[in-house]
Amino acid sequence: MTAMLKRVQRWWALAIAVYALDWITKQSVEANLHYGQEIPLLPFFDLTLRYNTGAAFSFLAEAGGWQRWFFSLIAIVVVVGISWRLSKIGHTHKLEALSLTLIMAGAIGNLHDRLAYGHVIDFIQVHWQSTWYFPAFNIADSAITIGVVLMLVEGLFQKNPKGKQNDD
């Protein structure tokens, strides 16, 4: 059991650091902006305070409330599953472990919001002039996205002899 904990500790430390950054930024935005306020920082980037009761791109945002618990359950399952996977591969498959850790950190950040507030706090707004706006997002969403991209990159460029499994 001790070896397994050692394999997971550094990844959980990184996940907690990413979660902390997510939480601090969300708290700062909540304390300094009112809902819907936009503060332009660059010609294509604003800070804004938005709430999302759904998932990515506000999927199921108007579902009536049950989605809060549904997405919370999914996040808990993801965190448990990733923790288990990290205990198996955390010392040998570094890029996969990093990608899973970022996904887990993002899941924890958004899970906290769902359980504490009933919605996810979003504040990063990317747009093109005033004609196209990407849905607002946060550090947790960014960590999930980076984790998925890293996982895809690893899958595309990983050298794996035919028929050989990559698991421990």
Side-chain angles (χ1 to χ4, degrees):
M1 186 70 163
T2 310
M4 181 179 77
L5 286 176
K6 280 188 170 186
R7 283 183 241 159
V8 176
Q9 277 180 334
R10 77 174 131 196
W11 301 114
W12 261 97
L14 176 59
I16 291 167
V18 172
Y19 162 74
L21 177 63
D22 179 64
W23 184 82
I24 289 166
T25 55
K26 287 174 180 175
Q27 295 305 304
S28 178
V29 168
E30 277 261 288
N32 293 294
L33 276 70
H34 58 79
Y35 185 83
Q37 179 181 359
E38 294 180 5
I39 299 175
L41 297 178
L42 295 171
F44 58 88
F45 173 70
D46 302 338
L47 284 182
T48 185
L49 178 58
R50 304 269 191 242
Y51 301 139
N52 183 0
T53 57
F57 303 102
S58 296
F59 177 66
L60 294 177
E62 303 296 323
W66 62 267
Q67 73 276 20
R68 172 187 186 184
W69 306 111
F70 176 70
F71 292 130
S72 295
L73 179 62
I74 289 173
I76 291 167
V77 169
V78 164
V79 169
V80 170
I82 289 175
S83 293
W84 176 83
R85 180 71 179 152
L86 287 173
S87 74
K88 301 295 181 192
I89 59 99
H91 64 294
T92 57
H93 299 87
K94 306 281 194 242
L95 188 56
E96 180 183 355
L98 174 61
S99 64
L100 289 171
T101 299
L102 291 172
I103 293 167
M104 179 172 68
I108 293 168
N110 287 339
L111 173 63
H112 171 266
D113 286 8
R114 286 184 203 292
L115 295 178
Y117 314 119
H119 57 260
V120 173
I121 300 167
D122 290 326
F123 60 91
I124 301 169
Q125 181 71 63
V126 177
H127 58 87
W128 177 251
Q129 297 175 353
S130 61
T131 58
W132 177 84
Y133 283 80
F134 191 78
F137 57 99
N138 57 44
I139 301 297
D141 298 334
S142 300
I144 292 168
T145 301
I146 293 167
V148 169
V149 167
L150 288 174
M151 192 173 285
L152 291 172
V153 166
E154 181 188 36
L156 289 173
F157 297 108
Q158 177 182 28
K159 293 184 173 137
N160 196 12
K162 193 173 185 176
K164 185 175 179 185
Q165 291 295 323
N166 201 20
D167 295 340
D168 287 344

